């Protein structure tokens, strides 16, 4: 595989190529609109909010160019599972890993989709047969009757880990709908769903907006969102989505002995970027619903770039072990510390030390004119999203 094959499929204008030396490694920056960041291009099945998730077009770009059906695609920091769901839709085998068990809860059910009718029946059964007790005060988020419904579902699901695809789907959906900032969420108006605020902060939001939680119908909200997620699925998609072609792990990304050596064709991933996102704080309510003790999970939140690099060096040794000869890793690097730190300066030498060959740094941007502007483009400004990906080969 040569880089030309990857970059020639750009959309519209010619790719800008800039030779660059990163700490002794000669490579190139490739700049273009390789994948479009226009909204709603990808399958609705991806539309579950998660902090720092990437758009499905990013993994799709690499999966379609670097692998074929039946190959194994991996994401060591899977999050909501954008790489995993896209790879499955494209008929690839998938290996998913994330140290937070929430990742599997949000991702695996979309590979084994139940019917709307079965979801409706199960919800009716749960809501009329179960009840739960609130172990914390959540009255600032929910109307008492909505909370009663959430607690019934939480109590029912407590003993139903991996029981069937209907339970798993309901668990994913309620987890996703717990808090948010529109009518489609179970809570009163709050921050977006991937950032649950503390009860104290919610009390302040309620005071400021002069609001009290109104009744939200859990059944209706779950069914409506289920229909939205399934809306664009074709028969081919349903045939491709398969749990039997997938493995879900809950390990530290540097230590994944369950994955066979030389077995993965392509990894597409975005790591936790230093301590930019506080996954523990953002996910506390989702973890509560799922009886996950977030304090017992060692989610990486490393604020020092040298310690972060030491950790990523271990991850790359592991990625090298599991990658097939000729296989690839597409690793997103973000700008951190107010753009003063470019993580490719750290990750490229790490990947090369682990044994990989660096094919380039691929910069996806819709609005570039000169390289100097690339570093100034803000994510999501003007509806665009600039991603920087290090592409390496074993
Ligand atoms: C940037 S997010 C990935 C988002 C993903 N690309 C998506 O589209 O949803 C990084 C993920 O790394 C996970 N994580 C943090 N430390 C980890 C570790 N040591 N090993 C495995 N996963 C980890 C976090 O739980 C989080 O889900």
């Amino acid at each position: 595989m040569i880089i030309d094959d990857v970059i020639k499929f750009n959309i519209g204008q010619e790719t800008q190529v800039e030779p660059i030396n990163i700490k002794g490694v000669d490579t190139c920056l490739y700049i273009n609109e390789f994948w479009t960041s226009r909204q709603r291009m990808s399958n609705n099945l991806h539309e579950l909010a998660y902090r720092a998730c990437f758009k499905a077009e990013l993994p799709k770009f690499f999966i379609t160019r670097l692998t074929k059906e039946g190959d194994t695609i991996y994401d060591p920091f899977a999050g909501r599972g954008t790489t995993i769901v896209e790879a499955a839709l494209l008929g690839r085998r998938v290996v998913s890993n994330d140290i937070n068990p929430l990742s599997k809860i949000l991702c695996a059910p979309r590979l084994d989709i139940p019917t709307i009718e079965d979801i409706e029946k199960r919800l009716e059964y749960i809501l009329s047969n179960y009840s739960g007790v609130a172990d914390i005060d959540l009255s600032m988020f929910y109307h008492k009757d909505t909370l009663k419904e959430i607690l019934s579902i939480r109590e029912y699901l407590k003993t139903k880990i991996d029981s069937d695809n209907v339970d798993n789907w309901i668990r994913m959906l309620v987890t996703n709908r717990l808090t948010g900032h529109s009518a489609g969420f179970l809570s009163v108006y709050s921050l977006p769903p991937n950032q649950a605020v503390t009860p104290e902060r919610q009390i302040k939001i309620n005071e400021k907006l002069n609001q009290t939680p109104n009744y939200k119908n859990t059944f209706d909200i779950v069914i409506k969102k289920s229909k939205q997620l399934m809306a664009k699925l074709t028969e081919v998609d349903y045939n491709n989505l398969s749990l039997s072609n997938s493995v879900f792990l809950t390990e530290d990304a540097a230590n994944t002995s369950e994955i066979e050596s030389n077995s993965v064709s392509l990894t597409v991933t975005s790591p936790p970027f230093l301590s930019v996102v506080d996954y523990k704080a953002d996910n506390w309510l989702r973890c509560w619903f799922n009886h996950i003790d977030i304090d017992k999970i060692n989610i990486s939140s490393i604020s020092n770039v040298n310690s972060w690099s030491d950790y990523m060096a271990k991850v790359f040794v592991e990625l090298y072990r599991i990658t097939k000869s000729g296989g690839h890793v597409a690793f997103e690097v973000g700008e951190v510390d107010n753009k003063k730190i470019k993580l490719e300066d750290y990750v490229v030498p790490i990947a090369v030390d682990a044994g990989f060959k660096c094919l380039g740094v691929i910069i996806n941007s819709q609005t570039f004119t000169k390289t100097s502007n690339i570093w100034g483009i803000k994510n999501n400004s003007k509806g665009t999203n600039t991603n920087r990906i290090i592409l390496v080969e074993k």
Side-chain angles (χ1 to χ4, degrees), residues 46 48-56 59 74-83 97-103 110 249-256 268-273 277 279-280 283 297-302 311-312 315 332:
H46 288 290
L48 290 187
Y50 196 81
R51 279 314 291 282
C53 60
F54 44 47
K55 290 192 192 299
Y74 175 50
D75 189 344
F77 302 104
R80 69 169 181 170
T82 319
T83 293
N97 179 64
D98 195 295
I99 203 159
N100 191 341
L102 258 188
S103 173
R110 284 174 287 153
L249 304 174
T250 315
E251 304 294 343
D252 182 330
N255 230 322
T256 52
V268 186
T269 195
S270 61
F273 300 122
V277 173
Y279 292 100
K280 279 191 186 179
N283 284 315
I297 305 169
N298 194 16
I299 298 181
S300 300
S301 181
I302 308 170
Y311 174 67
M312 287 306 157
V315 173
E332 189 183 20

Side-chain angles (χ1 to χ4, degrees), residues 140-181:
M140 62 297 287
F141 292 102
Y142 305 110
H143 184 277
K144 65 175 183 13
D145 293 335
T146 307
L147 183 58
K148 226 169 117 192
E149 292 170 0
I150 295 172
L151 290 170
S152 304
I153 297 171
R154 181 175 185 255
E155 183 59 27
Y156 167 82
L157 289 174
K158 196 170 159 184
T159 55
K160 307 274 180 198
I161 301 300
D162 285 337
S163 62
D164 71 9
N165 64 346
V166 186
D167 287 344
N168 292 339
W169 184 270
I170 291 171
R171 181 185 288 109
M172 170 185 79
L173 255 279
V174 177
T175 299
N176 170 258
R177 297 284 99 187
L178 281 174
T179 54
H181 52 337

Side-chain angles (χ1 to χ4, degrees), residues 228-275:
Q228 275 171 7
L229 287 175
M230 297 176 197
K232 278 195 194 167
L233 290 174
T234 63
E235 217 178 306
V236 175
D237 294 333
Y238 276 106
N239 288 338
N240 280 341
L241 294 169
S242 155
L243 265 188
S244 58
N245 283 334
S246 69
V247 175
F248 283 86
L249 304 174
T250 315
E251 304 294 343
D252 182 330
N255 230 322
T256 52
S257 53
E258 290 95 330
I259 306 176
E260 251 181 67
S261 299
N262 307 309
S263 62
V264 171
S265 295
L266 171 67
T267 293
V268 186
T269 195
S270 61
F273 300 122
L274 299 176
S275 47

